[in-house]
PDB file of all heavy atoms in Angstrom:
ATOM      1  N   THR A  17       3.033 -34.641  49.377  1.00 97.00           N
ATOM      2  CA  THR A  17       2.483 -34.124  50.627  1.00 97.00           C
ATOM      3  C   THR A  17       2.339 -35.213  51.687  1.00 97.00           C
ATOM      4  O   THR A  17       2.192 -36.386  51.382  1.00 97.00           O
ATOM      5  CB  THR A  17       1.084 -33.487  50.426  1.00 97.00           C
ATOM      6  OG1 THR A  17       0.170 -34.473  49.964  1.00 97.00           O
ATOM      7  CG2 THR A  17       1.142 -32.321  49.453  1.00 97.00           C
ATOM      8  N   ILE A  18       2.383 -34.760  52.922  1.00 97.00           N
ATOM      9  CA  ILE A  18       1.995 -35.571  54.071  1.00 97.00           C
ATOM     10  C   ILE A  18       0.984 -34.729  54.842  1.00 97.00           C
ATOM     11  O   ILE A  18       1.212 -33.546  55.101  1.00 97.00           O
ATOM     12  CB  ILE A  18       3.191 -35.915  54.976  1.00 97.00           C
ATOM     13  CG1 ILE A  18       4.169 -36.842  54.255  1.00 97.00           C
ATOM     14  CG2 ILE A  18       2.706 -36.561  56.277  1.00 97.00           C
ATOM     15  CD1 ILE A  18       5.418 -37.173  55.046  1.00 97.00           C
ATOM     16  N   THR A  19      -0.124 -35.356  55.190  1.00 98.00           N
ATOM     17  CA  THR A  19      -1.141 -34.697  56.002  1.00 98.00           C
ATOM     18  C   THR A  19      -1.329 -35.522  57.268  1.00 98.00           C
ATOM     19  O   THR A  19      -1.519 -36.732  57.211  1.00 98.00           O
ATOM     20  CB  THR A  19      -2.485 -34.578  55.244  1.00 98.00           C
ATOM     21  OG1 THR A  19      -2.258 -33.842  54.030  1.00 98.00           O
ATOM     22  CG2 THR A  19      -3.527 -33.864  56.086  1.00 98.00           C
ATOM     23  N   ILE A  20      -1.250 -34.841  58.392  1.00 97.00           N
ATOM     24  CA  ILE A  20      -1.423 -35.472  59.695  1.00 97.00           C
ATOM     25  C   ILE A  20      -2.585 -34.765  60.387  1.00 97.00           C
ATOM     26  O   ILE A  20      -2.620 -33.536  60.440  1.00 97.00           O
ATOM     27  CB  ILE A  20      -0.170 -35.327  60.579  1.00 97.00           C
ATOM     28  CG1 ILE A  20       1.064 -35.875  59.875  1.00 97.00           C
ATOM     29  CG2 ILE A  20      -0.378 -35.995  61.932  1.00 97.00           C
ATOM     30  CD1 ILE A  20       2.374 -35.502  60.561  1.00 97.00           C
ATOM     31  N   LYS A  21      -3.505 -35.551  60.925  1.00 98.00           N
ATOM     32  CA  LYS A  21      -4.558 -35.009  61.778  1.00 98.00           C
ATOM     33  C   LYS A  21      -4.399 -35.690  63.122  1.00 98.00           C
ATOM     34  O   LYS A  21      -4.453 -36.915  63.212  1.00 98.00           O
ATOM     35  CB  LYS A  21      -5.943 -35.295  61.199  1.00 98.00           C
ATOM     36  CG  LYS A  21      -6.222 -34.524  59.933  1.00 98.00           C
ATOM     37  CD  LYS A  21      -7.621 -34.781  59.426  1.00 98.00           C
ATOM     38  CE  LYS A  21      -7.853 -33.972  58.162  1.00 98.00           C
ATOM     39  NZ  LYS A  21      -9.216 -34.162  57.661  1.00 98.00           N
ATOM     40  N   ARG A  22      -4.191 -34.878  64.150  1.00 97.00           N
ATOM     41  CA  ARG A  22      -3.952 -35.440  65.492  1.00 97.00           C
ATOM     42  C   ARG A  22      -4.760 -34.663  66.509  1.00 97.00           C
ATOM     43  O   ARG A  22      -4.690 -33.428  66.563  1.00 97.00           O
ATOM     44  CB  ARG A  22      -2.467 -35.389  65.817  1.00 97.00           C
ATOM     45  CG  ARG A  22      -2.082 -35.940  67.178  1.00 97.00           C
ATOM     46  CD  ARG A  22      -2.508 -37.399  67.361  1.00 97.00           C
ATOM     47  NE  ARG A  22      -1.706 -38.092  68.335  1.00 97.00           N
ATOM     48  CZ  ARG A  22      -1.835 -37.991  69.646  1.00 97.00           C
ATOM     49  NH1 ARG A  22      -2.751 -37.190  70.168  1.00 97.00           N
ATOM     50  NH2 ARG A  22      -1.048 -38.678  70.445  1.00 97.00           N
ATOM     51  N   GLU A  23      -5.510 -35.378  67.309  1.00 97.00           N
ATOM     52  CA  GLU A  23      -6.328 -34.784  68.355  1.00 97.00           C
ATOM     53  C   GLU A  23      -5.617 -34.922  69.697  1.00 97.00           C
ATOM     54  O   GLU A  23      -4.972 -35.940  69.960  1.00 97.00           O
ATOM     55  CB  GLU A  23      -7.667 -35.521  68.397  1.00 97.00           C
ATOM     56  CG  GLU A  23      -8.710 -34.881  69.264  1.00 97.00           C
ATOM     57  CD  GLU A  23     -10.035 -35.623  69.141  1.00 97.00           C
ATOM     58  OE1 GLU A  23     -10.043 -36.869  69.165  1.00 97.00           O
ATOM     59  OE2 GLU A  23     -11.053 -34.935  69.024  1.00 97.00           O
ATOM     60  N   PHE A  24      -5.740 -33.882  70.529  1.00 97.00           N
ATOM     61  CA  PHE A  24      -5.149 -33.879  71.860  1.00 97.00           C
ATOM     62  C   PHE A  24      -6.245 -33.619  72.888  1.00 97.00           C
ATOM     63  O   PHE A  24      -7.114 -32.772  72.667  1.00 97.00           O
ATOM     64  CB  PHE A  24      -4.045 -32.815  71.969  1.00 97.00           C
ATOM     65  CG  PHE A  24      -2.888 -33.091  71.057  1.00 97.00           C
ATOM     66  CD1 PHE A  24      -2.845 -32.533  69.792  1.00 97.00           C
ATOM     67  CD2 PHE A  24      -1.869 -33.942  71.447  1.00 97.00           C
ATOM     68  CE1 PHE A  24      -1.789 -32.813  68.927  1.00 97.00           C
ATOM     69  CE2 PHE A  24      -0.817 -34.230  70.596  1.00 97.00           C
ATOM     70  CZ  PHE A  24      -0.776 -33.666  69.334  1.00 97.00           C
ATOM     71  N   ASP A  25      -6.181 -34.318  73.999  1.00 96.00           N
ATOM     72  CA  ASP A  25      -7.181 -34.197  75.054  1.00 96.00           C
ATOM     73  C   ASP A  25      -6.822 -33.013  75.949  1.00 96.00           C
ATOM     74  O   ASP A  25      -6.464 -33.168  77.119  1.00 96.00           O
ATOM     75  CB  ASP A  25      -7.241 -35.499  75.858  1.00 96.00           C
ATOM     76  CG  ASP A  25      -8.421 -35.527  76.814  1.00 96.00           C
ATOM     77  OD1 ASP A  25      -9.330 -34.680  76.660  1.00 96.00           O
ATOM     78  OD2 ASP A  25      -8.425 -36.377  77.714  1.00 96.00           O
ATOM     79  N   SER A  26      -6.910 -31.829  75.339  1.00 96.00           N
ATOM     80  CA  SER A  26      -6.553 -30.602  76.048  1.00 96.00           C
ATOM     81  C   SER A  26      -7.156 -29.414  75.307  1.00 96.00           C
ATOM     82  O   SER A  26      -7.478 -29.514  74.120  1.00 96.00           O
ATOM     83  CB  SER A  26      -5.034 -30.458  76.114  1.00 96.00           C
ATOM     84  OG  SER A  26      -4.677 -29.379  76.928  1.00 96.00           O
ATOM     85  N   ASP A  27      -7.257 -28.303  76.009  1.00 95.00           N
ATOM     86  CA  ASP A  27      -7.822 -27.113  75.366  1.00 95.00           C
ATOM     87  C   ASP A  27      -6.820 -26.484  74.394  1.00 95.00           C
ATOM     88  O   ASP A  27      -5.612 -26.711  74.477  1.00 95.00           O
ATOM     89  CB  ASP A  27      -8.282 -26.101  76.422  1.00 95.00           C
ATOM     90  CG  ASP A  27      -7.135 -25.549  77.231  1.00 95.00           C
ATOM     91  OD1 ASP A  27      -6.473 -24.596  76.766  1.00 95.00           O
ATOM     92  OD2 ASP A  27      -6.868 -26.088  78.327  1.00 95.00           O
ATOM     93  N   LEU A  28      -7.343 -25.709  73.491  1.00 97.00           N
ATOM     94  CA  LEU A  28      -6.566 -25.099  72.412  1.00 97.00           C
ATOM     95  C   LEU A  28      -5.433 -24.209  72.935  1.00 97.00           C
ATOM     96  O   LEU A  28      -4.315 -24.270  72.423  1.00 97.00           O
ATOM     97  CB  LEU A  28      -7.506 -24.289  71.508  1.00 97.00           C
ATOM     98  CG  LEU A  28      -6.877 -23.485  70.380  1.00 97.00           C
ATOM     99  CD1 LEU A  28      -6.097 -24.381  69.430  1.00 97.00           C
ATOM    100  CD2 LEU A  28      -7.946 -22.722  69.618  1.00 97.00           C
ATOM    101  N   ALA A  29      -5.698 -23.411  73.931  1.00 96.00           N
ATOM    102  CA  ALA A  29      -4.665 -22.488  74.434  1.00 96.00           C
ATOM    103  C   ALA A  29      -3.420 -23.238  74.889  1.00 96.00           C
ATOM    104  O   ALA A  29      -2.292 -22.810  74.618  1.00 96.00           O
ATOM    105  CB  ALA A  29      -5.221 -21.626  75.567  1.00 96.00           C
ATOM    106  N   LEU A  30      -3.606 -24.369  75.554  1.00 97.00           N
ATOM    107  CA  LEU A  30      -2.466 -25.133  76.062  1.00 97.00           C
ATOM    108  C   LEU A  30      -1.706 -25.826  74.928  1.00 97.00           C
ATOM    109  O   LEU A  30      -0.472 -25.832  74.913  1.00 97.00           O
ATOM    110  CB  LEU A  30      -2.940 -26.149  77.090  1.00 97.00           C
ATOM    111  CG  LEU A  30      -1.872 -26.768  77.970  1.00 97.00           C
ATOM    112  CD1 LEU A  30      -1.023 -25.710  78.664  1.00 97.00           C
ATOM    113  CD2 LEU A  30      -2.517 -27.681  78.994  1.00 97.00           C
ATOM    114  N   VAL A  31      -2.424 -26.396  73.966  1.00 98.00           N
ATOM    115  CA  VAL A  31      -1.753 -27.037  72.827  1.00 98.00           C
ATOM    116  C   VAL A  31      -1.010 -25.975  72.008  1.00 98.00           C
ATOM    117  O   VAL A  31       0.127 -26.204  71.580  1.00 98.00           O
ATOM    118  CB  VAL A  31      -2.769 -27.824  71.966  1.00 98.00           C
ATOM    119  CG1 VAL A  31      -2.101 -28.356  70.699  1.00 98.00           C
ATOM    120  CG2 VAL A  31      -3.382 -28.968  72.770  1.00 98.00           C
TER     121      VAL A  31
END
Side-chain angles (χ1 to χ4, degrees):
T17 62
I18 293 177
T19 302
I20 304 168
K21 291 183 179 182
R22 180 58 155 79
E23 190 175 44
F24 296 93
D25 190 14
S26 187
D27 65 83
L28 176 59
L30 195 53
V31 174

